[in-house]
Amino acid sequence: MSLESSGAVVKDEKRNGVAISAQEVDTAAQLAAGVSSDLEPQEALRIRKKIDKHILPMMCILYWIQYMDKMTLGNSAILGIQKSTNLTTNEYNWLSTVFYLSYLLFEYPQNLALQRFPVGKWMSLNIFTWGIALACHAACKNFAGLLVVRMILGVCEGSITAGFMIVTSMFYTRKEQTLRVGYWFLMNGIAQIMAGFISFGTLHIKTHGFAPWQWLMIITGVLTLIIAGTFWFLFPDSPTNAWFLTLDERGKAIQRIKENQTGVENKHFKKEQMIEALVDPKTWLFALLSILNDIPNSVSNQQQLIVSSFGFTYLQTTLLGCVNGTVEILTIFTGVQLAARLPNARGYVGAAYYMPTLLGIILVNFLPWGDKVGLLIGQYMTGVCTTGFVLSLSWLNNVTAGHTKKVVTNAIMLSAYCVGNALGPFMWQQKYKPRNHIPWIVIAICYILCALLMLFIRELLRRENLRRDNEPTDESYDEIYIEKIAEDGTRVEVKVDKVGYFISDCRKGFQSVTRQEFLDLTDLQNRDFRYVL
């Protein structure tokens, strides 16, 4: 990105720059430019706790509800949906696949919308639409109807994880991001527990002409609509307009994440950053990791059917599904804690957490079919690997700078996530039941490759850090200023930090700032950027 195209001004001995008026820039620029002193650790901690208190619970609740909603198809399998709607095995598999196909198709438009519109409000609209579509499942009588509502769910889903990754990078430091991504992702485990109890409860509802699976859809749909309304009013779009922070605290919240060297947000789409994301090798390595990790994810919609095939009743199966959630909570929590506490250990920790899953696959495939307890334990162990994907999400966010580049890399990784999830269901053919040896072999191969890939990415980034350590200091972006108007009316120049905090906003009153990109540098442009390992 050239300085001329960025709209920033370089002040040096060789050329005269023209300072930019603070009236022409956005709120974040003014907030950041006005903060010159270092932030005290105690004050930074106070700000972080305030942010945690107001946004982390909402992120966790939303992630819980959206994953529980996704699980409704798997839970409905033992609540009678296949019989009520006359679904064949292939049609049931297609309901899972079409969700991810529509997710894939709309992932890039969703990411563009997340950059163009206020993040919190855009997610709220998608959640509201999601809730309506979920409740409409109860009215479906055949495969065609279910196909349509599943497609709508996939469209809306594209905004959630991508939006959360953007919000997390706006409010938290790179070290904090690993834990926070883990915290909201482990809500998937809570969702499995809650879904198990709700499914258990719906099996006891006796209503003429209204099956338990329909009650499940109505209950989860209503809960989702309630969350959507709460999210609209309480969830902030960025640190610059967070309602729970004072104006002074907003500036400090922006200053607090200075170490990320990734900025906050930029509403202007930059073609050069998109191209960089497309030619950056690590973008595609993370995408390959996502595909390989999520082909096995299809087991989530087969979980209840597999457990019931061990010889458990439907009532027992709904409650036993809660244990899967507990396993996921414990493994994600311990994994992100290790990754956050051990220096440069993300690749190692992620690879290590695939090993218990491989042992679980061996148990499920080779234990005697009559060993119900052993098979169940093996099945539970296959969920440990979730930690690897969680760490890869936060890792990608940590090693990517430049807002447009982040949007593009997030879209690519989540599109790869959709491809894996769309391919996976077709492994589960009727001819492979009950032991499903072929699907389990495919899953084992995928997870072995995932572990090796995480180690390879780590080594690639380590070598790049060493290369940058041996480079001469890059001073290209050290002397950048904007012009502000002081309280007495005089114009003063304020130096802008290299990492850049700025938001280009096209809202009313800010039409003139479409070129105020400033130092929204990418990780390749900023040679001071060091990749976390």
Side-chain angles (χ1 to χ4, degrees), residues 307 310-312 320 363-364 367-381:
V307 172
F310 294 158
F312 296 100
L320 289 172
L363 293 177
V364 170
L367 283 177
W369 193 240
D371 188 353
K372 293 167 59 174
V373 175
L375 290 169
L376 193 61
I377 291 174
Q379 180 70 26
Y380 290 149
M381 292 176 68

Side-chain angles (χ1 to χ4, degrees), residues 127-397:
I127 302 161
F128 185 79
T129 306
W130 171 291
I132 294 174
L134 187 65
C136 287
H137 278 61
C140 296
K141 303 298 183 182
N142 52 39
F143 172 68
L146 289 170
L147 195 70
V148 171
V149 290
R150 294 293 296 176
M151 288 177 65
I152 296 173
L153 290 188
V155 172
C156 299
E157 165 74 4
S159 69
I160 307 302
T161 301
F164 273 19
M165 290 168 69
I166 291 172
V167 170
T168 304
S169 66
M170 285 183 193
F171 282 93
Y172 294 105
T173 66
R174 291 202 285 183
K175 182 178 179 180
E176 294 165 354
Q177 286 173 31
T178 300
L179 287 173
R180 271 63 190 181
V181 171
Y183 291 158
W184 50 257
F185 209 100
L186 66 78
M187 297 306 292
N188 289 358
I190 301 293
Q192 292 183 58
I193 295 172
M194 293 299 297
F197 284 124
I198 294 174
S199 298
F200 180 79
T202 57
L203 278 172
H204 291 79
I205 299 176
K206 306 298 181 182
T207 50
H208 180 69
F210 212 72
W213 69 268
Q214 291 173 302
W215 278 115
L216 176 65
M217 298 299 183
I218 292 295
I219 292 169
T220 51
V222 170
L223 287 173
T224 303
L225 291 173
I226 293 172
I227 296 300
T230 306
F231 214 76
W232 175 274
F233 291 105
L234 298 181
F235 198 79
D237 298 307
S238 82
T240 63
N241 64 4
W243 60 270
F244 53 86
L245 297 176
T246 65
L247 188 62
D248 178 61
E249 289 173 337
R250 292 173 189 177
K252 291 176 179 177
I254 295 168
Q255 187 186 18
R256 203 179 69 83
I257 62 168
K258 174 181 175 180
E259 67 181 69
N260 292 355
Q261 301 195 66
T262 58
V264 176
E265 189 181 25
N266 194 303
K267 295 297 184 187
H268 178 60
F269 186 84
K270 302 178 183 177
K271 183 179 178 180
E272 67 273 18
Q273 289 196 13
M274 179 191 74
I275 295 172
E276 181 180 310
L278 294 175
V279 300
D280 191 339
K282 72 175 184 294
T283 300
W284 300 105
L285 289 173
F286 275 104
L288 178 59
L289 175 65
S290 185
I291 291 175
L292 292 171
N293 189 91
D294 289 297
I295 288 176
N297 199 39
S298 58
V299 77
S300 62
N301 280 328
Q302 302 290 330
Q303 198 102 256
Q304 302 289 61
L305 295 174
I306 292 172
V307 172
S308 64
S309 73
F310 294 158
F312 296 100
T313 67
Y314 286 167
L315 280 173
Q316 291 171 333
T317 299
T318 57
L319 293 179
L320 289 172
C322 299
V323 181
N324 290 309
T326 304
V327 170
E328 187 162 332
I329 292 169
L330 292 176
T331 54
I332 292 177
F333 182 79
T334 56
V336 296
Q337 289 289 337
L338 286 172
R341 295 175 186 275
L342 299 177
N344 298 318
R346 286 168 177 79
Y348 293 145
V349 174
Y353 269 73
Y354 285 106
M355 298 305 107
T357 292
L358 295 175
L359 177 57
I361 292 172
I362 292 172
L363 293 177
V364 170
N365 278 274
F366 294 105
L367 283 177
W369 193 240
D371 188 353
K372 293 167 59 174
V373 175
L375 290 169
L376 193 61
I377 291 174
Q379 180 70 26
Y380 290 149
M381 292 176 68
T382 63
V384 175
C385 60
T386 307
T387 302
F389 183 65
V390 174
L391 290 177
S392 71
L393 282 177
S394 63
W395 198 7
L396 177 63
N397 230 24

Side-chain angles (χ1 to χ4, degrees), residues 471-478 498 521 524-528:
E471 290 178 353
T473 303
D474 182 10
E475 300 178 350
S476 302
Y477 303 97
D478 285 353
K498 180 175 183 177
L521 302 180
L524 296 186
Q525 291 171 327
N526 181 7
R527 304 309 291 177
D528 289 339

